[in-house]
Amino acid sequence: MIVFLIKRLANAALVMLVVALMAFMIFRFVGDPIQLMVNEQTSQAERDALRERLGLNESVVMQYLRFVGNAVQGDFGISYRNQQEVMSLIAERFPATIELVLMATIISLVVGVPLGVITAIHRRKWYSEALQFVSIIGVSLPSFVIGILLILVFSVMLNIAPAFGRGDVVSIGWWTTGLLTPSGRAALILPSIALSFYQITLVMRLVRAEMLEVLRSDFIKFARARGVPAWRVHYSHALRNCLMPVVTMTAMNIGSLIAFALITETVFQWPGMGLLFIQAVTFVDIPVMAAYLCIVSFIFVALNTLVDITYALIDPRLRNSKA
Amino acid sequence: MTVNLTSPGLLTRIRQSDLWWSFTHQRSAVLAAILLTVLIVSAFTAPLYAPQNPYDPAQLELWNAEIPPIWLEGGQWPYLLGTDTQGRDILSAILYGSRISILIGIASVVLALVIGIGTGLVAGYYGGIVEDALMRVGDILLSIPTILIAILVSAIVRELLPPSLRDVGAGGVLVLAIVLSGWVQYARTVRAQTAVERRKEYVQAAQLLKVPARRIMFRHILPNTLTPILVAATLNFGMAILTEATLSFLGIGMPPSQPSLGTLIRLGNQFLFSGMWWIVLFPVMQLCLLVVSVNLLGDWLRDALNPKLR
Amino acid sequence: MILRTTLLAGVALACLATTGTAQTLRWGAARDINSLDPYSYGSTFTISFLNHVYEGLVRYDADLKIEPALATEWEVMPNNIWRFKLRQGVKFHDGAEFTADDVVASLARVSHPDSPLKGNLPAYKSATKVDDYTVDIELVGTYPLLLNDLTNIHMFDAGWLKEHNAEVPTDVAKKVEGYPTFNANGTGPFIVESRVPDSKTILVANTGWWDAPKHNLERIEFTPISSEATRVAALLSGEIDFTEKAPVQDLPRLAAAPNVKVMEGNELRTIMFGFNFQDKLHNGEPNLFKDKKMREAVGLAIDLNLIRDKVMRGKSRVTGTVVAPAIPGYDPALDTPPAYDPEKAAAMIKELGAEGYAFEIMCSNDLWVNEEEICNALVSMLTRVGLAPRLNIAPNAVQQVKLTNGEADMFAFGWANEPMLDSYSILLQTFQTKSDNAGVFNWGGWSYPEMDKLIIAASTELDREKRLALQSAALKIVKDESIMLPFHQQPMAWATSDKVESVVQLSDNKGRHWLTRMAE
């Protein structure tokens, strides 16, 4: 067991090192950092001194090691654009993205699971087919289109939800939350719905597929033969067996959602990490780009590793497989 | 008594197959296939009949800007779906834009398939260090959300290209960006299958007969692994089109001089509220029709090929 | 009965009288400010926002005339020294007194070799304190426009600068974050309560302001909303009260909405396109724009009226000269745009052997009004006369570096002549040959000695009539040589919600919310 744990963690560490390498390569190869930092009237001597000070004359390996060392301590340098420390910029926006993602995940589960059950149980009914059709549309529409349409209908035409921003937020220590104010909660509605769309269809389809499989299994047949009422068969017996894969998939998709949130944040001007990243890309603000890459990858890797380890704890068969 | 000893021709085999039966009996699949064919054919034959070549700046007349669709007041022939603020005919734009979107989608899926299958076969067949190394690379790529890889590759390669190549190479950059994370899925599936097949007797027999490795991989093992790949590829085609549209919408995809559907939506989005809804609505509809038909086909294929549901 | 109604009315009136104070102006801007430090970027927008927090020695009044602000009077003394008497009893937001030390420290900071605003005080030599409320500013020579320059130079507190290690402008290299980048301490009508970059900046009213407030605001919430569609949606749904850049294409819809008011006008900023004058284009090919005939041909190929009607929706003012009519030095005789003649342009291009000539037009997509559309239209028009232009467009922060390095073959340019409000500004900073203090924005690298002579003569001419005549003569050379092709003065469009009662809009397009009143 311990061996497995160590293997998984070592794996995760290796992945992070490679990601850090990629982030570091961005620094070196895209544009000249000196060029991007000084104004045009700086003399050549000053530029050389700056180059020396930032350690750009050292070997690549040294620079990489220094980058990793700094990154682990959370020091990603200063944003070229705002002249503010990158880590504090990201820390400011982190709560916004996380709240959005959590909300979207909850919505996707609350809506997706029941819908999945319905489409599985009532396979041939018209509303089942209709729901499936709608789910395909949901997967086919790009999320920015969904966002724009939501704004058009609910914000401009019906005026029942705000179209941008986060509303009033309350600071609890380092975290800022919009959940404690009415305007904050109202502002969460449209963006989280837009972000959850794709996830809802995924959950729905997964639940449906799993339910269909479970409903064929023997113990369900026996339960029916014994006269257990249908609803009990479906919910107590069948559904419970489906939830595991759903929870797993959802947990692993949180990292993906964080990444996809950047589209939603762009449409709704939600002040999260994703919007920061997109702005960094358009402004070629490399420290922010590199930091975002490292942080989001870290979350992704951490979540996957956690899920893997949890699975292994539950299912001993998985412990001895190749990591 | 005569016995028919010739094996049936290809067409007959198809018509008699399970697959065809399930296809013709699933209404949505047939509709989707028809729709997709119409979209693809119309997009690729566009130069023959489209009112305008929207990529030629000389053909854009500012005089004709902001004309509404032909059924509304102010509409003008030949601008059936109206024009945008540059005088670009919307119908021509979505046809040419679909062409780009489809091409990028096909190119990225094909390339990802080639790389993925090749890698998977090699990794599964040879095993050992080769397998470890290749799969490790794949793992690392999977550790980064695909949209992030796509954005980073797109943004960085564009920065590195000389300015004259930036517009021309935008399509290639997009394909690269999508492929970079797309091949892993195929590689994993193929590797797993290959690792299983490798131990089977027919492969061992072929090895004993000194059949070259490549032949074994391609002619014997590969056909057995194709089923899940096919389904994944179809669905990924839709994803690739959506990814390209998203990147173009964010501004790092196809430039306005060669707009894809995503670029058109981005450009038209500014005018959503000013009453010129046709500039954004038609590209959106075209994009949705395209991806919906692909997804419907992919869904049908998955259900049809799934042994458990037969 | 009557007594009761009167009493009720009286109480109601009393309530009305006291409920004027809790007023918040929610400002949805097209872009964020770059930092809280007014010296860190030469961006008119940032400086005009920070004018709510910081102030200069003098300022412009509602008629764009100069009036005293932190300085009460001034006199020109011999040896090019200007003596300023400072206003007494002014306090910074942290309570410190405003004295001559502060002026000296601020001027030293803005004229520091590392300061991006160095070029905004071209004639400055040094400043000395005479007594606590008198400062002498020494110039390098006779210079008529010092007051114009000083309207944009904001005053810091010397002690605050020293305490926070900010006496020298921000140095990114030292990895010491500039304290003034996200902290502010000025003398102005508003205090910065909080700032989250790219998200929200909150200002609250400064009750200890030295001037009598004409506004009734308690708070300003400044939020950048770069997406035009989102900004319009926010206005229509009442989520924001003010924007300084209402998208031109949405103006009819906004004007038709019952809860939105639109204020349009033409601002002072003129949009023009400049050319590269170096020997080679950026891609190494020989540069044909050095030939005046080539530039003229390009000018003839552009249908300015069509751009005004279609791209700018009829809201811009087509111009034939590079300054707006309200700018001193403007000569109506020069304001004659070339007549659109594509056949002649095509013929000239053929003659010059420039058919199929490939070059790059550099534009930004977030700077001037509808810049992307203008540039797209330009590409289309130039292709039609036989050239092969390519558009290079990106956010201004990315383009800025390339432009100042002279990498553009043809580029979009805008100049409002602010804060000087005199054509000397564009002549000095753009058209004069590039040197230490001059031609900072001479991105094409042109050089016309006869024009330089006129501009230098104007810089020391104290007689206004004579000076303006010299400047007009310089502008004539600009037009004759087609150094830049002027297009139009930009439209400005502000939009307010029905919560805003009145807002002052001047042709310099700067928000001045210390004059704004909300409905009570």
Side-chain angles (χ1 to χ4, degrees), chain C residues 105-170:
Chain C
S106 304
L107 288 175
R109 187 169 191 265
V110 78
S111 60
H112 191 277
D114 289 340
S115 161
L117 244 65
K118 197 170 50 161
N120 279 31
L121 257 191
Y124 174 83
K125 190 164 173 195
S126 71
T128 22
K129 163 180 168 172
V130 172
D131 63 48
D132 267 345
Y133 293 103
T134 316
V135 174
D136 277 354
I137 299 184
E138 186 181 348
L139 304 177
V140 294
T142 5
Y143 181 68
L145 295 162
L146 177 65
L147 292 177
N148 306 52
D149 290 340
L150 285 175
T151 55
N152 240 16
I153 308 295
H154 296 158
M155 294 293 126
F156 284 91
D157 178 44
W160 186 81
L161 285 177
K162 201 183 180 88
E163 182 188 334
H164 298 289
N165 222 351
E167 281 160 314
V168 165
T170 332

Side-chain angles (χ1 to χ4, degrees), chain C residues 1-78:
Chain C
M1 177 64 195
I2 304 180
L3 186 59
R4 199 193 298 164
T5 6
T6 333
L7 267 178
L8 278 175
V11 169
L13 265 177
C15 289
L16 271 179
T18 48
T19 46
T21 48
Q23 301 285 25
T24 303
L25 177 76
R26 295 161 301 170
W27 182 351
R31 47 193 263 253
D32 196 14
I33 56 175
N34 300 110
S35 89
L36 287 182
D37 180 354
Y39 295 173
S40 66
Y41 274 103
S43 147
T44 313
F45 179 66
T46 303
I47 298 178
S48 73
F49 176 82
L50 290 173
N51 209 3
H52 292 75
V53 179
Y54 289 94
E55 299 172 293
L57 292 176
V58 290
R59 67 183 182 194
Y60 285 113
D61 68 10
D63 298 311
L64 285 182
K65 299 270 181 307
I66 295 185
E67 66 170 10
L70 290 181
T72 48
E73 31 177 298
W74 46 86
E75 53 172 319
V76 188
M77 308 206 316

Side-chain angles (χ1 to χ4, degrees), chain B residues 84-96:
Chain B
D84 71 358
T85 53
Q86 290 293 312
R88 211 186 332 240
D89 171 42
I90 301 286
L91 181 60
S92 312
I94 61 181
L95 288 174
Y96 278 74

Side-chain angles (χ1 to χ4, degrees), chain B residues 10-27:
Chain B
L10 184 63
L11 229 50
T12 337
R13 283 221 313 263
I14 291 182
R15 255 187 292 134
Q16 288 173 349
S17 71
D18 280 344
L19 210 59
W20 182 253
W21 187 92
S22 113
F23 176 69
T24 41
H25 282 75
Q26 177 96 316
R27 225 179 351 180

Side-chain angles (χ1 to χ4, degrees), chain A residues 37-51:
Chain A
M37 277 201 282
V38 301
N39 63 38
E40 64 274 7
Q41 277 135 352
T42 319
S43 72
Q44 189 57 36
E46 286 171 340
R47 285 174 204 241
D48 290 335
L50 182 56
R51 199 171 280 273

Side-chain angles (χ1 to χ4, degrees), chain B residues 33-56:
Chain B
I34 295 179
L35 183 59
L36 191 59
T37 321
V38 166
L39 287 173
I40 295 184
V41 168
S42 65
F44 281 91
T45 55
L48 296 177
Y49 64 89
Q52 195 189 68
N53 176 356
Y55 297 169
D56 181 7

Side-chain angles (χ1 to χ4, degrees), chain B residues 195-216:
Chain B
V196 167
E197 298 286 315
R198 178 166 57 123
R199 300 176 210 292
K200 291 200 179 154
E201 287 131 357
Y202 74 93
V203 173
Q204 289 178 345
Q207 282 172 331
L208 275 176
L209 288 173
K210 297 261 197 288
V211 178
R214 206 174 332 139
R215 207 180 148 98
I216 300 185

